[in-house]
Amino acid sequence: MRIGVDLGGTNIRVACVENGIIVEKATAPCPAKENEQTILYTLEKLIGQVIRPGVKGIGIGVPSIVDSKEGVVYNVANIPAWKEVPLKRLLETRFGIPVHVNNDSNCFALGVKNFGEGQQYRDLVGITLGTGVGAGILINGILYNGRNTGAGEIGSLPYLEHDYEHYCSSNYFVYYYGMTGKEACAKAVEGDVEALKIWTEFGTHLGNLMKAVLYAYDPEAIIIGGGIASAFKYYEQAMWEMLHTFPYQKTVKNLQIIVSQKEDAALLGASAL
């Protein structure tokens, strides 16, 4: 048994996992605006709720740059107080078992590879579309971290007037149309013509993001997760139309793009660190 943790600025989710199955799960809002110790206390309390005899380790996914060897997290997204936190040392001292820390998008990619739609692929990219854009890379079945677990930050590449994240996350809907991605999806479900047009624009931007992934990694599969993944049918066509402008069409023909249906992929991936 292992503990998996998905730590975000909105919620902290913790699960006890055995053989790829969640035995028990606990969730609480993250006190993201509080001090470092308050957030750590909330995390430790949740782990304490699900830990049991026989647990061999704790894996944690965090939206930040991570020194995965030392288990130090830096400048955690949406948690201002966590500038430099030696998370591995603190939790190993508290619970007395090994702790492994990595980027949250890497954990999603690891989760879909080990337990979800990515099991048949050796080279894949897992992309999370939500408040931001995250990506995790697996090459020959092995998670590629880079020196600071920053490999695969495709969302931060320059694109148009900003970067890909600006146009391929929920920020796009908020910034340009004054609504969340969830609200835009609800309008599309109702058949709202303007909302459907917005999703087509989004799909065009996402198609360009996918082209950047192909240039950089040429994976067998790209697996999408995150809140915006649920609206896939509204932007899928525009995404593929843009992909068909990629100069190497054999690459596009062989590519699989899959929306993950694996619940708690990031939690499971964290447990497998």
Side-chain angles (χ1 to χ4, degrees):
M1 288 186 292
R2 298 181 183 275
I3 301 294
V5 179
D6 184 13
L7 193 157
T10 302
N11 294 301
I12 302 174
R13 303 186 306 136
V14 178
C16 181
V17 179
E18 184 171 18
N19 298 322
I21 298 172
I22 292 178
V23 178
E24 186 176 359
K25 184 164 63 173
T27 304
C30 178
K33 304 303 181 185
E34 302 296 330
N35 61 41
E36 178 183 317
Q37 290 301 318
T38 299
I39 300 163
L40 182 63
Y41 172 78
T42 303
L43 173 58
E44 290 178 343
K45 183 179 179 181
L46 286 171
I47 294 173
Q49 288 178 21
V50 302
I51 201 166
R52 57 188 66 192
V55 167
K56 296 180 179 179
I58 299 171
I60 304 176
V62 185
S64 71
I65 294 297
V66 180
D67 180 335
S68 56
K69 181 179 179 180
E70 300 297 329
V72 180
V73 300
Y74 299 93
N75 302 312
V76 179
N78 300 314
I79 304 179
W82 276 30
K83 299 296 185 186
E84 182 176 339
V85 181
L87 196 55
K88 173 182 172 70
R89 177 175 61 79
L90 291 170
L91 293 180
E92 285 184 345
T93 299
R94 170 65 178 81
F95 294 103
I97 55 178
V99 174
H100 301 277
V101 187
N102 210 300
N103 175 269
D104 59 343
S105 296
N106 286 352
C107 289
F108 168 76
L110 199 59
V112 295
K113 168 58 181 171
N114 287 344
F115 308 107
E117 295 84 355
Q119 293 180 64
Q120 64 180 300
Y121 304 108
R122 291 185 59 78
D123 298 315
L124 70 86
V125 176
I127 294 181
T128 53
L129 303 175
T131 305
V133 174
I137 314 299
L138 282 113
I139 300 173
N140 290 326
I142 299 172
L143 184 66
Y144 179 67
N145 290 305
R147 174 61 183 85
N148 305 291
T149 70
E153 291 299 329
I154 302 293
S156 296
L157 289 175
Y159 173 63
L160 299 180
E161 297 178 357
H162 300 278
D163 58 18
Y164 281 108
E165 184 168 277
H166 183 82
Y167 297 93
C168 298
S169 70
S170 62
N171 289 329
Y172 173 73
F173 301 93
V174 174
Y175 187 87
Y176 291 104
Y177 298 104
M179 69 179 86
T180 65
K182 184 176 181 179
E183 290 168 340
C185 184
K187 289 179 179 291
V189 170
E190 295 171 355
D192 185 280
V193 174
E194 183 62 27
L196 292 170
K197 180 181 177 182
I198 292 170
W199 281 110
T200 297
E201 294 172 359
F202 178 86
T204 298
H205 295 308
L206 185 64
N208 280 319
L209 171 68
M210 297 299 188
K211 287 164 65 176
V213 172
L214 294 186
Y215 279 122
Y217 299 106
D218 187 17
E220 297 172 83
I222 299 173
I223 301 179
I224 302 173
I228 292 178
S230 61
F232 186 67
K233 67 179 180 179
Y234 299 117
Y235 57 82
E236 178 182 13
Q237 181 178 342
M239 177 195 73
W240 278 111
E241 286 176 358
M242 182 52 64
L243 273 167
H244 287 310
T245 68
F246 190 71
Y248 311 117
Q249 280 302 296
K250 183 71 171 178
T251 299
V252 176
K253 182 179 179 180
N254 291 333
L255 176 67
Q256 300 294 316
I257 296 181
I258 303 163
V259 176
S260 178
Q261 304 297 324
K262 186 65 179 179
E263 188 176 1
D264 295 322
L267 265 179
L268 293 169
S271 74
L273 286 173

